[in-house]
Amino acid sequence: DFEVLFWVGCAGSFEPRAQQIARALVTIMHAAGVKFAVLGERESCTGDTARRAGNEYLFAEMAKLNIETLDGVNAPRILATCPHCLHTIGTEYPQFGGEYEVVHHTAFINELIRDGRLKLHAPQRTNVTFHDPCYLGRHNGIYDEPRYALGAAGAAITEMPRSRNDSLCCG
């Protein structure tokens, strides 16, 4: 029995910086007492790249396989660190019958803080900027959640001239 299914994603599996994010999120969930699951070897790529490249057949096949897997584990919520995974599973899988509640990890961290499940130590203030990924911001309207989580951790946000809806694409 688990609260969330952590969708690790391709980046979290293979890219060293994204692996650090995945590990940090697991540490946070352990600290907050979150019961979570991962699919491990049953998780495969969402098919986002195939769809963006125009290979609709490959995307459909990948989506159907993932929907079958997700339906089989009956995940109450799906937690994603990758904006592309968040978008694909939450916004595009419903076209194939995959209806899931998908939440970005920053929104989930904010919930844990708000509910008193995650206790933060008095952080040393640091100044940071935040780049709004296009699939998090413009495509899914998630702008404030990352900023709230950073602020709760002690960051003072300096906004860049091109931020939020005016952010340049990360790709």
Side-chain angles (χ1 to χ4, degrees):
D1 208 26
F2 57 95
E3 294 175 60
V4 294
L5 173 72
F6 176 23
W7 187 272
V8 178
C10 297
S13 295
F14 302 111
E15 204 281 317
R17 289 178 301 166
Q19 289 172 345
Q20 291 176 351
I21 295 167
R23 286 186 189 103
L25 182 57
V26 167
T27 300
I28 288 168
M29 289 192 289
H30 281 302
V34 174
K35 293 180 181 177
F36 68 96
V38 294
L39 293 173
E41 292 183 7
R42 294 181 292 167
E43 181 178 308
S44 67
C45 178
T46 62
D48 170 76
T49 305
R51 183 166 248 193
R52 302 301 154 247
N55 191 337
E56 203 58 33
Y57 173 78
L58 179 59
F59 171 74
E61 292 301 307
M62 295 172 87
K64 289 174 192 172
L65 176 68
N66 284 325
I67 289 167
E68 183 179 309
T69 301
L70 290 169
D71 287 350
V73 298
N74 197 27
R77 295 174 90 188
I78 298 171
L79 180 61
T81 58
C82 171
H84 289 268
C85 293
L86 173 92
H87 179 79
T88 303
I89 297 169
T91 305
E92 298 180 343
Y93 279 17
Q95 300 167 6
F96 298 89
E99 299 278 344
Y100 311 105
E101 179 186 354
V102 187
V103 62
H104 190 254
H105 73 285
T106 57
F108 189 67
I109 290 168
N110 291 332
E111 289 176 23
L112 295 174
I113 295 168
R114 178 197 69 213
D115 295 345
R117 294 178 68 185
L118 183 63
K119 308 284 189 222
L120 301 177
H121 302 286
Q124 185 173 350
R125 298 298 285 178
T126 183
N127 198 16
V128 300
T129 61
F130 177 75
H131 169 78
D132 293 287
C134 54
Y135 271 86
L136 190 61
R138 286 195 306 272
H139 290 277
N140 288 284
I142 299 174
Y143 296 107
D144 294 328
E145 290 85 341
R147 288 167 172 81
Y148 292 150
L150 287 167
I157 311 273
T158 299
E159 293 290 351
M160 299 300 289
R162 294 194 62 111
S163 64
R164 297 184 179 264
N165 209 36
D166 293 326
S167 179
L168 294 173
C169 181
C170 54

